Each structure stands twice: as structure tokens, then as C-alpha cells.
Amino acid sequence: MDLQEQLKNLFPDHQISNEPEAVAENEHELYVQSEPMICKFEKRKGKPTTIIAGYEGADEDFKILAKEIKSKLAVGGTFKDGEIIIQGDYRDRIMKMLQEKGFKTKRVGG
């Protein structure tokens, strides 16, 4: 007995539809704050890192932003303790990306 027959036995009144289901794709809106986000450069264990901090919205939004930054720059990084940590010195490029999204940024250090 195949799956179609089992489904007919379980749901005898069901009519099979060949129409594809409509999937609503809504783009997630990030909370844009009035305070500037801090973009700083540090060396951790001798390696350059860019740290973005100061986001006031939900952690999930900040994680989405971190994933987008990492994929656009093709670099590694993480979201930890309310900060996005990116491997390498990408302050200028990250600040430009954030400003295009409507965020205010502040450069700290160097």
C-alpha cells in the first residue's frame, strides 16, 4: 500500500488539488534606532577583529544582521553577548552597509 492509498483511507472526503500553495514571503524589517551603533577595531589573540555593538532591538534581529554582514563580506564571525564579532578589519565597509540600511554608526578606535 503506497502513501496515496493510505491518505485516501485516512481522509476519504479529501479532494486532491494540483494548484501550488501560495507562500507569503515578507521581508523581515529591522528595528532602526536613533542612537548610533558602535563599530570598533580590536586585536584578539593577535588577529584583527571588527566589533559592532550598541543595537537596541531584539537579539534575533541583530543575529539576522550579523548573518547578512558575514555573507556579504564573505568572512567568518559570530554573534556573542550582544555584539557582532567579524574576523578582519572591515569597519569602513560594515559602516557603509549599516548606513545604507538607515542605521547611524560611530567609529571607535584607530
Side-chain angles (χ1 to χ4, degrees):
M1 183 178 275
D2 70 337
L3 184 61
Q4 291 291 337
E5 291 174 13
Q6 290 177 3
L7 289 173
K8 284 181 184 178
N9 289 338
L10 288 171
F11 306 102
D13 297 333
H14 178 70
Q15 298 294 322
I16 297 174
S17 173
N18 290 332
E19 295 178 21
E21 289 186 31
V23 178
E25 290 187 28
N26 56 344
E27 191 170 316
H28 187 74
E29 288 292 322
L30 292 173
Y31 167 73
V32 179
Q33 62 198 32
S34 58
E35 292 295 312
M37 291 175 64
I38 296 170
C39 193
K40 59 185 173 181
F41 171 76
E42 280 185 13
K43 281 204 170 194
R44 293 191 174 181
K45 298 181 182 175
K47 297 184 180 182
T49 58
T50 304
I51 300 167
I52 301 131
Y55 187 69
E56 298 170 353
D59 278 353
E60 289 301 316
D61 290 349
F62 210 31
K63 287 180 185 178
I64 291 169
L65 187 62
K67 186 174 183 181
E68 185 176 324
I69 289 170
K70 290 189 304 183
S71 65
K72 282 191 177 179
L73 295 176
V75 296
T78 186
F79 174 81
K80 188 191 251 183
D81 299 329
E83 295 180 330
I84 299 174
I85 302 167
I86 303 292
Q87 297 172 354
D89 186 6
Y90 293 99
R91 280 179 294 183
D92 296 330
R93 291 172 67 184
I94 291 172
M95 287 173 61
K96 185 177 178 187
M97 285 170 48
L98 291 173
Q99 288 166 357
E100 287 172 358
K101 290 188 166 292
F103 290 101
K104 293 178 185 173
T105 59
K106 185 174 181 181
R107 184 182 177 122
V108 175

mmCIF file of all heavy atoms in Angstrom, residues 3 14 16 22 46-47 53-54 56 61-62 66 69 73 85 92 98-100 104:
data_model
loop_
_atom_site.group_PDB
_atom_site.id
_atom_site.type_symbol
_atom_site.label_atom_id
_atom_site.label_comp_id
_atom_site.label_asym_id
_atom_site.label_seq_id
_atom_site.Cartn_x
_atom_site.Cartn_y
_atom_site.Cartn_z
ATOM 1 N N LEU A 3 1.636 5.546 -0.202
ATOM 2 C CA LEU A 3 1.245 6.673 0.626
ATOM 3 C C LEU A 3 -0.083 7.288 0.179
ATOM 4 O O LEU A 3 -0.918 7.639 1.004
ATOM 5 C CB LEU A 3 2.354 7.731 0.600
ATOM 6 C CG LEU A 3 2.147 8.944 1.488
ATOM 7 C CD1 LEU A 3 2.053 8.519 2.942
ATOM 8 C CD2 LEU A 3 3.254 9.935 1.297
ATOM 9 N N HIS A 14 -11.260 14.003 1.106
ATOM 10 C CA HIS A 14 -10.275 14.973 0.609
ATOM 11 C C HIS A 14 -10.183 14.929 -0.914
ATOM 12 O O HIS A 14 -10.092 13.869 -1.518
ATOM 13 C CB HIS A 14 -8.901 14.676 1.219
ATOM 14 C CG HIS A 14 -7.831 15.608 0.728
ATOM 15 N ND1 HIS A 14 -7.789 16.924 1.088
ATOM 16 C CD2 HIS A 14 -6.780 15.404 -0.114
ATOM 17 C CE1 HIS A 14 -6.762 17.500 0.504
ATOM 18 N NE2 HIS A 14 -6.133 16.585 -0.234
ATOM 19 N N ILE A 16 -7.878 16.083 -4.129
ATOM 20 C CA ILE A 16 -6.501 16.445 -4.451
ATOM 21 C C ILE A 16 -6.505 17.675 -5.352
ATOM 22 O O ILE A 16 -7.203 17.718 -6.359
ATOM 23 C CB ILE A 16 -5.770 15.276 -5.148
ATOM 24 C CG1 ILE A 16 -5.701 14.089 -4.200
ATOM 25 C CG2 ILE A 16 -4.385 15.707 -5.592
ATOM 26 C CD1 ILE A 16 -5.134 12.841 -4.830
ATOM 27 N N ALA A 22 0.268 28.990 -2.071
ATOM 28 C CA ALA A 22 0.844 30.330 -2.040
ATOM 29 C C ALA A 22 1.594 30.507 -0.723
ATOM 30 O O ALA A 22 1.025 30.351 0.343
ATOM 31 C CB ALA A 22 -0.250 31.379 -2.167
ATOM 32 N N GLY A 46 46.080 38.390 18.697
ATOM 33 C CA GLY A 46 46.957 38.794 17.605
ATOM 34 C C GLY A 46 46.273 38.936 16.265
ATOM 35 O O GLY A 46 46.916 39.278 15.279
ATOM 36 N N LYS A 47 44.964 38.689 16.191
ATOM 37 C CA LYS A 47 44.254 38.763 14.914
ATOM 38 C C LYS A 47 43.280 39.934 14.921
ATOM 39 O O LYS A 47 42.648 40.216 15.940
ATOM 40 C CB LYS A 47 43.495 37.462 14.658
ATOM 41 C CG LYS A 47 44.435 36.288 14.531
ATOM 42 C CD LYS A 47 43.700 35.036 14.190
ATOM 43 C CE LYS A 47 44.710 33.887 14.080
ATOM 44 N NZ LYS A 47 44.103 32.655 13.702
ATOM 45 N N ALA A 53 28.542 46.929 18.143
ATOM 46 C CA ALA A 53 27.776 46.864 19.392
ATOM 47 C C ALA A 53 26.803 48.036 19.442
ATOM 48 O O ALA A 53 26.860 48.952 18.621
ATOM 49 C CB ALA A 53 28.726 46.914 20.586
ATOM 50 N N GLY A 54 25.906 47.999 20.426
ATOM 51 C CA GLY A 54 25.000 49.116 20.656
ATOM 52 C C GLY A 54 23.655 48.990 19.985
ATOM 53 O O GLY A 54 22.945 49.983 19.848
ATOM 54 N N GLU A 56 19.795 48.237 19.927
ATOM 55 C CA GLU A 56 18.768 48.276 20.962
ATOM 56 C C GLU A 56 17.574 47.372 20.664
ATOM 57 O O GLU A 56 16.707 47.213 21.502
ATOM 58 C CB GLU A 56 18.275 49.715 21.146
ATOM 59 C CG GLU A 56 19.368 50.654 21.602
ATOM 60 C CD GLU A 56 18.947 52.110 21.550
ATOM 61 O OE1 GLU A 56 17.855 52.404 21.028
ATOM 62 O OE2 GLU A 56 19.718 52.958 22.019
ATOM 63 N N ASP A 61 16.874 40.044 15.601
ATOM 64 C CA ASP A 61 17.148 40.987 14.522
ATOM 65 C C ASP A 61 18.650 41.202 14.358
ATOM 66 O O ASP A 61 19.161 41.289 13.247
ATOM 67 C CB ASP A 61 16.482 42.337 14.796
ATOM 68 C CG ASP A 61 14.970 42.278 14.681
ATOM 69 O OD1 ASP A 61 14.454 41.260 14.181
ATOM 70 O OD2 ASP A 61 14.316 43.253 15.090
ATOM 71 N N PHE A 62 19.356 41.298 15.488
ATOM 72 C CA PHE A 62 20.803 41.512 15.455
ATOM 73 C C PHE A 62 21.500 40.289 14.856
ATOM 74 O O PHE A 62 22.476 40.419 14.129
ATOM 75 C CB PHE A 62 21.306 41.813 16.868
ATOM 76 C CG PHE A 62 22.524 42.701 16.924
ATOM 77 C CD1 PHE A 62 22.764 43.665 15.974
ATOM 78 C CD2 PHE A 62 23.431 42.572 17.959
ATOM 79 C CE1 PHE A 62 23.880 44.483 16.046
ATOM 80 C CE2 PHE A 62 24.551 43.377 18.044
ATOM 81 C CZ PHE A 62 24.766 44.342 17.072
ATOM 82 N N ALA A 66 23.827 40.134 11.604
ATOM 83 C CA ALA A 66 25.161 39.523 11.626
ATOM 84 C C ALA A 66 25.326 38.548 10.469
ATOM 85 O O ALA A 66 26.356 38.547 9.788
ATOM 86 C CB ALA A 66 25.387 38.803 12.956
ATOM 87 N N ILE A 69 25.737 40.500 7.186
ATOM 88 C CA ILE A 69 27.068 41.118 7.074
ATOM 89 C C ILE A 69 28.105 40.061 6.720
ATOM 90 O O ILE A 69 28.930 40.249 5.823
ATOM 91 C CB ILE A 69 27.448 41.843 8.383
ATOM 92 C CG1 ILE A 69 26.600 43.099 8.554
ATOM 93 C CG2 ILE A 69 28.929 42.204 8.396
ATOM 94 C CD1 ILE A 69 26.732 43.757 9.909
ATOM 95 N N LEU A 73 30.203 40.076 3.116
ATOM 96 C CA LEU A 73 31.654 40.267 3.139
ATOM 97 C C LEU A 73 32.413 38.970 2.911
ATOM 98 O O LEU A 73 33.620 38.990 2.721
ATOM 99 C CB LEU A 73 32.087 40.876 4.479
ATOM 100 C CG LEU A 73 31.582 42.279 4.786
ATOM 101 C CD1 LEU A 73 32.019 42.703 6.176
ATOM 102 C CD2 LEU A 73 32.076 43.270 3.755
ATOM 103 N N ILE A 85 30.854 39.997 16.111
ATOM 104 C CA ILE A 85 32.314 39.955 16.018
ATOM 105 C C ILE A 85 32.662 39.395 14.633
ATOM 106 O O ILE A 85 32.317 38.262 14.314
ATOM 107 C CB ILE A 85 32.920 39.081 17.125
ATOM 108 C CG1 ILE A 85 32.508 39.624 18.498
ATOM 109 C CG2 ILE A 85 34.442 39.039 16.997
ATOM 110 C CD1 ILE A 85 32.789 38.690 19.644
ATOM 111 N N ASP A 92 35.050 50.137 7.673
ATOM 112 C CA ASP A 92 34.513 51.061 6.675
ATOM 113 C C ASP A 92 33.391 50.420 5.865
ATOM 114 O O ASP A 92 32.347 51.032 5.642
ATOM 115 C CB ASP A 92 35.634 51.547 5.746
ATOM 116 C CG ASP A 92 36.683 52.363 6.493
ATOM 117 O OD1 ASP A 92 36.314 53.025 7.485
ATOM 118 O OD2 ASP A 92 37.855 52.319 6.088
ATOM 119 N N LEU A 98 25.661 49.470 7.007
ATOM 120 C CA LEU A 98 24.696 49.846 8.039
ATOM 121 C C LEU A 98 24.040 51.184 7.724
ATOM 122 O O LEU A 98 22.838 51.357 7.939
ATOM 123 C CB LEU A 98 25.377 49.892 9.407
ATOM 124 C CG LEU A 98 25.830 48.557 9.988
ATOM 125 C CD1 LEU A 98 26.631 48.765 11.262
ATOM 126 C CD2 LEU A 98 24.646 47.647 10.255
ATOM 127 N N GLN A 99 24.802 52.129 7.201
ATOM 128 C CA GLN A 99 24.246 53.438 6.860
ATOM 129 C C GLN A 99 23.257 53.329 5.703
ATOM 130 O O GLN A 99 22.260 54.045 5.678
ATOM 131 C CB GLN A 99 25.366 54.421 6.541
ATOM 132 C CG GLN A 99 26.136 54.839 7.781
ATOM 133 C CD GLN A 99 27.442 55.545 7.472
ATOM 134 O OE1 GLN A 99 27.829 55.689 6.320
ATOM 135 N NE2 GLN A 99 28.130 55.986 8.521
ATOM 136 N N GLU A 100 23.508 52.422 4.763
ATOM 137 C CA GLU A 100 22.567 52.204 3.663
ATOM 138 C C GLU A 100 21.242 51.639 4.166
ATOM 139 O O GLU A 100 20.200 51.863 3.578
ATOM 140 C CB GLU A 100 23.173 51.263 2.618
ATOM 141 C CG GLU A 100 24.263 51.899 1.789
ATOM 142 C CD GLU A 100 24.982 50.898 0.906
ATOM 143 O OE1 GLU A 100 24.667 49.686 0.950
ATOM 144 O OE2 GLU A 100 25.875 51.334 0.155
ATOM 145 N N LYS A 104 22.595 54.709 12.134
ATOM 146 C CA LYS A 104 23.673 55.665 12.393
ATOM 147 C C LYS A 104 24.821 54.864 12.975
ATOM 148 O O LYS A 104 24.602 53.941 13.758
ATOM 149 C CB LYS A 104 23.219 56.721 13.396
ATOM 150 C CG LYS A 104 22.135 57.628 12.873
ATOM 151 C CD LYS A 104 21.713 58.603 13.932
ATOM 152 C CE LYS A 104 20.547 59.437 13.453
ATOM 153 N NZ LYS A 104 20.009 60.284 14.520
#
